[in-house]
Amino acid sequence: MKKIIALTDFSNNAYNALYQATRLVTGEACTFYILNVFNSFTPLRSQPVKKEPSQQLEDESSEGLEEVLHRIKRDDDEADHLFITLSKRGNLVDITAKVVASESIDLVVMGNSGRSEIEAILMGSNALDIISNVKKCPVLTVPKEVDFIPPKEIAFVTDFRHAYDAGLLQPLLYMARRFNSKIYVMHINEEEVLDKYQTMNRSVLMEYLLPFDHTFTWMPRFKNKANSINVFLEELQIDMLSMLNYEHSFLERMTREPVLKRVAFDINIPFLVIPYTD
């Protein structure tokens, strides 16, 4: 991970995500782009003053970024970590995607503010939008009020329906390699047996995981898949959840349904979403 975007709305939740990102790359050279996006719908952080609201929003964005920059430089003493602040007016998803492309970003990190279904509906739409629409870069959501824990136990939920390659799996394997993690591959039982294509993909995945401590688990399907995942995470005390996001995937379907809020917003561990591109 050489370049990371940390999205901020200047909340403690957003700062926690930025700080945890610095811990993930401790000892490595990395550039962090601390990005704040604002528009006419952004609430003012202070009382209105004698200036145009648009100018006040711009000023507050710049001032807020300076505060975050000062704080993270105080808390992160890694000499090889460079921090760049970006204040942009516009749509969060569009701006993030543009910066990902222009700066060849390796990871987008953001806070995940919703810890209940209603909070997710009211406050978590930004995370949903980024997961659903930023297709060129992995996204890591970090739940609020959670201390950094090295991801020694990583769950990878998959249906074996798409081919794996080194580039696709790189974010997952990077984390496992850095922290000497065990990878728990979880397949939810939707069929009696895997078909020929799934069996082949499973074999390929096993080859990529050979250098790592890993297990494959075939989970029974509970009332819904979200429940299956949550039971799995709790029983094995997982530190990080990872999934692939591709067209018609389980994850994509969840982003269109309320069920996602019971996975992405009701867990207290980081959630790594890896986009699948043909």
Side-chain angles (χ1 to χ4, degrees), residues 3-259:
K3 295 183 177 182
I4 296 175
I5 290 178
L7 304 181
T8 184
D9 58 1
F10 309 123
S11 64
N12 287 333
N13 178 43
Y15 182 80
N16 182 50
L18 167 61
Y19 178 76
Q20 292 214 25
T22 66
R23 299 304 88 199
L24 288 174
V25 292
T26 298
E28 289 196 6
C30 185
T31 299
F32 294 86
Y33 296 82
I34 308 173
L35 174 63
N36 173 251
V37 179
F38 63 95
N39 53 44
S40 59
F41 298 103
T42 303
L44 294 172
R45 301 178 65 209
S46 57
Q47 293 296 319
V49 295
K50 293 182 178 180
K51 63 174 68 173
E52 290 295 323
S54 61
Q55 183 61 52
Q56 185 172 348
L57 283 170
E58 183 175 337
D59 293 345
E60 288 186 352
S61 176
S62 298
E63 292 166 4
L65 286 170
E66 284 300 313
E67 294 171 5
V68 173
L69 181 62
H70 176 76
R71 184 178 178 185
I72 194 62
K73 284 185 173 181
R74 180 194 64 201
D75 293 341
D76 177 51
D77 58 1
E78 294 287 316
D80 288 336
H81 288 178
L82 173 66
F83 299 95
I84 297 173
T85 59
L86 297 174
S87 175
K88 301 287 185 180
R89 184 190 304 271
N91 175 271
L92 177 65
V93 172
D94 293 341
I95 296 295
T96 302
K98 288 178 181 178
V99 177
V100 165
S102 65
E103 302 298 335
S104 300
I105 298 298
D106 300 306
L107 181 69
V108 175
V109 177
M110 64 186 305
N112 190 351
S113 56
R115 290 294 301 279
S116 69
E117 189 154 340
I118 187 63
E119 284 181 326
I121 293 170
L122 296 176
M123 302 161 59
S125 60
N126 283 342
L128 283 173
D129 287 344
I130 294 293
I131 288 172
S132 301
N133 296 290
V134 175
K135 301 294 188 180
K136 302 296 184 181
C137 182
V139 177
L140 180 69
T141 66
V142 179
K144 64 181 179 180
E145 299 174 0
V146 173
D147 294 332
F148 175 74
I149 298 175
K152 295 288 188 179
E153 318 287 334
I154 302 177
F156 179 54
V157 178
T158 183
D159 57 11
F160 304 125
R161 294 192 180 279
H162 280 68
Y164 308 100
D165 59 44
L168 178 67
L169 295 172
Q170 191 275 337
L172 171 65
L173 302 185
Y174 171 87
M175 296 293 178
R177 190 176 296 111
R178 271 195 60 79
F179 296 98
N180 193 28
S181 310
K182 181 173 182 177
I183 299 174
Y184 296 81
V185 181
M186 175 188 174
H187 174 66
I188 298 175
N189 184 10
E190 292 185 292
E191 57 283 305
E192 292 297 327
V193 295
L194 299 179
D195 62 30
K196 182 179 179 180
Y197 189 61
Q198 287 176 297
T199 300
M200 178 182 66
N201 290 335
R202 182 180 185 276
S203 297
V204 171
L205 179 59
M206 290 178 67
E207 292 183 15
Y208 280 112
L209 297 183
L210 281 177
F212 304 92
D213 186 8
H214 66 278
T215 62
F216 282 74
T217 302
W218 192 302
M219 287 288 289
R221 184 162 66 177
F222 294 93
K223 183 178 180 180
N224 60 57
K225 294 179 182 178
N227 285 346
S228 299
I229 293 172
N230 284 328
V231 168
F232 182 82
L233 299 178
E234 182 176 348
E235 288 185 351
L236 295 178
Q237 298 184 325
I238 297 297
D239 301 315
M240 179 180 288
L241 170 64
S242 181
M243 294 186 198
L244 299 180
N245 192 20
Y246 54 85
E247 188 176 7
H248 307 310
S249 69
F250 167 44
L251 181 54
E252 186 193 59
R253 294 196 302 271
M254 287 198 303
T255 64
R256 301 175 185 275
E257 302 170 4
V259 69

